[in-house]
Amino acid sequence: MARYIGKEINRVDGVAKVTGRAKYAAEFRAPNLAYGFIVLGTVAKGTIKSIDTRDAEAAAGVIRIFTHLNAPKLGPKASHEQAPPRATEEQDKSFRALQSDRIFFNMQPVALVVAETYEQARYAARLVKVSYNAEKHTTDTEAVRDRGRFPSQGPPPKPRGNPEEAMKIAPVKIEAEYRIPIEHHNPMEPHAAVAVWQGDRLTMFDKSQEVYNVRKHLASSFNIPEANVQVISPYVGGAFGSSLRPNYYPALTAMAAREVRRPVKIVYTRTQMFTGHGHRPYTIQKVALGAERSGKLTAMVHEALHNTSTFEEFSDNTTGFTRQVYACPNLYAPQRITNTDLSTPTWMRAPGAVSGMFALESAMDELAYALKIDPLELRLINYAEKDPESGKPFSSKALRECYRLGAEKFGWKDRKFEPRSMRDGRLLVGWGTATGIWGAFQMPATARITFKANGTAHVASATSDIGPGTYTVITIIAAEYLGLKPEQVEFELGDSNFPRAPAQGGSWTTASVGSAVHGAALAITARLLEFANRDANSPLRGAAAADVEMLDGRLQLKNDTARFVNTAELMKRNGLGEITETFEAKPSQERRNYATLAHGAQFIEVKVDPDIGQVRVTRAIEVTACGRIINPKASHSQEIGGVVWGIGMALQEATEIDHRFGRIMNPNLQHYHVPVHADVHMIETIFVEEDDTVVNPLGVKGMGELGMVGIPAAIANAVFHATGKRIRDLPITPDKLL
Ligand code: MOS
C-alpha cells in the first residue's frame, strides 16, 4: 500500500519559488560580472558588408564588442559546414553565433556588446551599425512546398497495405489540407547564461533541459574536455522544448567571458527569444481518409511538410502517431521538410503529435459528417485493439474508458448532430471531440541515493524540472521506496556533476529518472539486508531482497512486519554513517514485445458570437489514460496546462512573418497572443489509471505533453459544430469566421 505515490502532494520547491529563493540562471552572481547584449541583424539572407562599432565602443561602460571579425572560432566546425543532426543526444551542429559574415535568417546575432552594466550594453548595442549585401530570401514555406524532401535520417516512409488502391475504391472519402503557423514556446523565463572561467575550466549557469548536452556542446565549442565544464541549472521557468538544444547563447556567453577574462552574463530579450531557440514549424498537412459506409476506415493518407533552415535539418515527425491511432489496413504517412531562410525549428510541447493530430482529428470529424455518424462513434468503430503499425499488443490502453467517461461527464448523448443546431441565446454552441495520443517513453537514466544513518536521504540526478514538478515527484518516489517521509528526502537536479539523465523532454522524465531512483532505493534496501544477514541472530535471516522493504527506520519483512531490524542501529553496528548507491535504469527488453502509448479523449464546448466571430471555450473535459499517476496534484496541473495551451494554439497563437523582409513581425507578448484568464473557463481533467507492468517498474507513462494533443482539433471540431464553418488553418481568429 503506497504511502505517498498517488497522493496529492504539494510542490517541495513551491515555497522556494514563491519566495524568490529558487535561483534561475540569470540570478546567479559572480564577482566582477560583465553584461552582454546581443545585436540582431536586419536581413534574412546574404552577407555582412560592414560593421561599424566605433560609436558603440566609445559609449560609457563598454568593455568589448564582438563581431564575426574578431570573435574566436568555436569548434569543431560551424553548423553549416557539418552534416545534419540525428538525435538530441548526439547533435552538436547547432548554430553558433558570430562565426562568419553569412546571414542565415533575419534577427540573427551579428554582434555582442559587453559592458559593465546591462543598461550600458543595451544602449551601446543600438549604436552598432551594420550594412549587408542582401540576397533574395525565402521564408514562406508555401512558396517552397514543392521542394519538400524526406529527412535524411531513417529510411524513406513505407506505406502499409495499398493505400492508393484502397482510397480509389472507398465508398466514402474526404480530403483536405490543414495549416499550422510558426509558433513560439514563450516560457516566462527568458533564456540566460552566466559563464565563469577559471583557467580552462568553465562553470556555466544556464537555463537548460539537459545539462549534459550543454556541457558537451561547450566542451566541443572550446575544444576542452567535458570534465572541464560544469553546467548548473537548478530551476527553469518553463521551456517546453526551447531549452532541449544548447542554443547559441551559452557558447557566445562563454566565448565573451574567456576573451574579456571576466564572468559574463547574457539574457535574451523576449524579442531575441524568437530566433534564439527554435520554433514549432509551419506545417502543411494533407489528409485523405477512405471508409466503408459503416464508418470503418479503409485508407488513411496523411502527408505533412514543414520548414527547416538552410543549415540544419529538423523534423518534428508530424505524422508519427497517425500510424498508431486507428485500426486501418492501408496507410501512408510521410513527413517532408523544406528549406527556408529562417532559424531552425525545434521541438515544442507535444511536438509533431499536437500538429499531426490537429489535422487527423479534424479530418476524422469531416469524415463523420460525410458518413453522418456521430464523431465519437466513428472513433469507437475504428478503435485499435492492437497496434495497427506493428501488430503488437498494447502494454495497456484504457482509451475506450476515457471516451466513455468523458462522454458521460460531458453529456455528449445530448449533442445534436447538425451544425448550428445548438444555441445559448444569440450565441452558437458547438460540441467537439478528439483523441489524444503520446508515447510512454523511457530513456536510460542514472540516479544516486545517499542514505544516512540519521534517517534522511540525499538523491541526485542531472535531470531538469522545467515546471512539471520533477523535484516533487522524484522526492515522492524516493520517500516511498526508502520508507521515509518526503521531508526527510532532499533531491537535487540540474547539475552536470550529478549522474547522467536524459533531457527533460518527451514526457519521459518520471518514467526514466523515477525508475532510476526506484532502482537505487532497492539497491540501498539490498545493501542493508546484506549487512543485517551478517548477523547470525538477524530476524531477517534467510530473507531475499525482494521480501523486505524499508519503512520508518526499519528494514522489515513485507509479509511479516514484526520481523525487522532498526536501520540506524544496523548502520551504527557496521560503522556506516551513510551508504550510497548509484543505479542506471534502462528500458526493459520486455517493452519491445508491446506497443507502449498513452491516450486521451477530449470533449470541448465552444460558444461563438455570430456577430463578431469570437470563440470562447466554455467547457473542456479531458480524460487521459497514462499509466499510474504519482502525484495527481501536479499531473492535473500538467493536463490543465495542456488544455490551456490547446486553446492558445486553436484560437490565438501565430508567429507572423512579413515575407517581403523575411522578418518576424510580432516577436513580443503584446502581439504574440497566448490565453489569459479571461480565455479560460471550465476545465476538468480526469485520469483513468492503468496498471501497466510493462512500461517500467513504476508503471508510469508520459503525460505532460499528452494533455495538449487533440485539444486544438476538438476545438476546431466544436467550432464547426457551432457555426458550420470548417476552419483548417490555425489559429481560428474571428476574421476566419465572419
Ligand atoms: Mo518537450 S517539446 O519534449 O520539451
Side-chain angles (χ1 to χ4, degrees), residues 287-300:
V287 183
L289 299 175
E292 308 281 0
R293 294 205 187 281
S294 65
K296 206 124 199 63
L297 282 167
T298 53
M300 301 170 75

Side-chain angles (χ1 to χ4, degrees), residues 188-201:
M188 283 194 357
E189 182 201 15
H191 296 58
V194 175
V196 184
W197 288 89
Q198 282 161 303
D200 66 350
R201 301 188 76 86

